[in-house]
Amino acid sequence: MNEIVKTTNLTKTYHGTTVVSALNMTVKPGRIYGFLGPNGAGKSTTLKMLLGLVRPTSGSIELFGKSLNPKSRVDLLKNVGSLIEQPSYYGHLTAVENLRIYQTLLSLPEKNISEVLKLVRLDRQERKKVSQYSLGMKQRLGIACSLLSFPKLLILDEPTNGLDPAGIQEMRSLIQSLPQKYGMTLIVSSHLLSEIDQIADEVMIIAGGKMKYQGNLEKLHETDSSRSLEEIFLDLTKGEASL
């Protein structure tokens, strides 16, 4: 398989306003793909289209070499895990009880629950009610939920939200380990450009719904070695909304 994700002229228009314009995204297997852009650039809309939550106005999406459409959506998304926006849970239940709901609905092995909780370092807090969790702990639980099926493709939107510096470092290590350990491909959207700079193999930068750059991160630095990713980003998105 050449691409895990491939979009062709992907476009979304709301009430005459184009928020994603002719986006051609290519995500290769086993890679960590950083997805960057200012607020309002169209990142969340793009990720929701990849998950079948928003229907494109025009263009196409392929996942695992197959067209994503209303008929194929359920089968294809069985191999996709995601954390988009703020995770929501049953506060009166524990982490294990919350995950067991998803595990039962998806007919997954029960052992997956303990494995993902260990991965996100919540195994010692698994019997605590989620209402007593900090924002960072809830974010970790969201990551655990996205990993529950050990998907081929994992889409994470702001995965370090609410984490302290030590938690950010642990999340970075976890994300970096997933392709090699489990054969996963990841799309990671984040406002922390320094984190993307440390973990990503490929990046796409969009602004105003349009692609400004897509390619290998190492080659980008080789081409423009005097500037940081943040400086390159700011130059490419000049005049657009801030992060």
Side-chain angles (χ1 to χ4, degrees):
M1 188 187 304
N2 293 326
E3 295 99 9
I4 293 290
V5 177
K6 182 180 179 181
T7 72
T8 303
N9 296 325
L10 187 63
T11 300
K12 182 62 184 178
T13 301
Y14 288 109
H15 308 295
T17 300
T18 300
V19 294
V20 177
S21 178
L23 204 62
N24 294 314
M25 174 186 283
T26 302
V27 182
K28 300 172 184 176
R31 310 288 275 177
I32 299 176
Y33 187 95
F35 190 38
L36 306 172
N39 283 333
K43 300 190 304 296
S44 293
T45 299
T46 300
L47 296 180
K48 288 176 181 178
M49 286 193 284
L50 296 182
L51 292 167
L53 300 174
V54 170
R55 183 172 293 185
T57 302
S58 61
S60 63
I61 300 170
E62 291 183 12
L63 299 180
F64 317 112
K66 297 180 180 179
S67 175
L68 177 66
N69 55 55
K71 290 184 178 180
S72 65
R73 179 179 178 271
V74 173
D75 282 340
L76 289 177
L77 293 182
K78 287 178 181 177
N79 294 307
V80 181
S82 66
L83 176 64
I84 304 292
E85 298 177 345
Q86 190 70 25
S88 58
Y89 304 103
Y90 297 102
H92 64 289
L93 300 180
T94 66
V96 170
E97 290 168 337
N98 270 280
L99 290 176
R100 187 166 288 125
I101 293 171
Y102 292 99
Q103 174 255 323
T104 302
L105 287 172
L106 298 172
S107 301
L108 299 170
E110 190 166 355
K111 66 178 179 63
N112 287 20
I113 295 175
S114 58
E115 189 167 350
V116 296
L117 286 172
K118 186 176 293 185
L119 277 173
V120 300
R121 306 282 182 93
L122 279 179
D123 46 317
R124 295 183 180 180
Q125 305 286 341
E126 61 183 20
R127 301 296 174 182
K128 190 175 183 178
K129 289 185 177 180
V130 173
S131 60
Q132 300 172 348
Y133 274 18
S134 66
L135 176 60
M137 291 169 70
K138 289 178 180 177
Q139 190 73 0
R140 289 170 184 269
L141 186 54
I143 301 292
C145 186
S146 71
L147 287 168
L148 196 57
S149 66
F150 291 93
K152 293 179 182 177
L153 172 65
L154 183 62
I155 299 176
L156 301 176
D157 189 12
E158 301 294 344
T160 56
N161 184 40
L163 299 181
D164 59 20
I168 291 173
Q169 186 175 12
E170 289 176 358
M171 189 61 65
R172 183 197 312 148
S173 297
L174 170 61
I175 289 172
Q176 289 175 310
S177 72
L178 294 174
Q180 186 172 7
K181 191 171 183 180
Y182 299 106
M184 290 184 194
T185 301
L186 289 90
I187 298 175
V188 183
S189 176
S190 177
H191 287 150
L192 298 180
L193 301 185
S194 60
E195 286 301 311
I196 293 296
D197 209 1
Q198 292 183 71
I199 66 173
D201 302 302
E202 316 277 338
V203 294
M204 175 184 276
I205 299 173
I206 67 171
K210 297 179 180 179
M211 183 179 72
K212 300 295 183 179
Y213 177 82
Q214 178 175 226
N216 183 277
L217 182 55
E218 187 177 340
K219 288 183 180 178
L220 178 62
H221 280 306
E222 288 175 357
T223 304
D224 200 345
S225 59
S226 64
R227 297 194 297 169
S228 67
L229 178 60
E230 182 175 358
E231 290 171 319
I232 295 169
F233 173 90
L234 290 173
D235 185 49
L236 289 172
T237 62
K238 195 178 297 181
E240 299 294 337
S242 62
L243 281 169

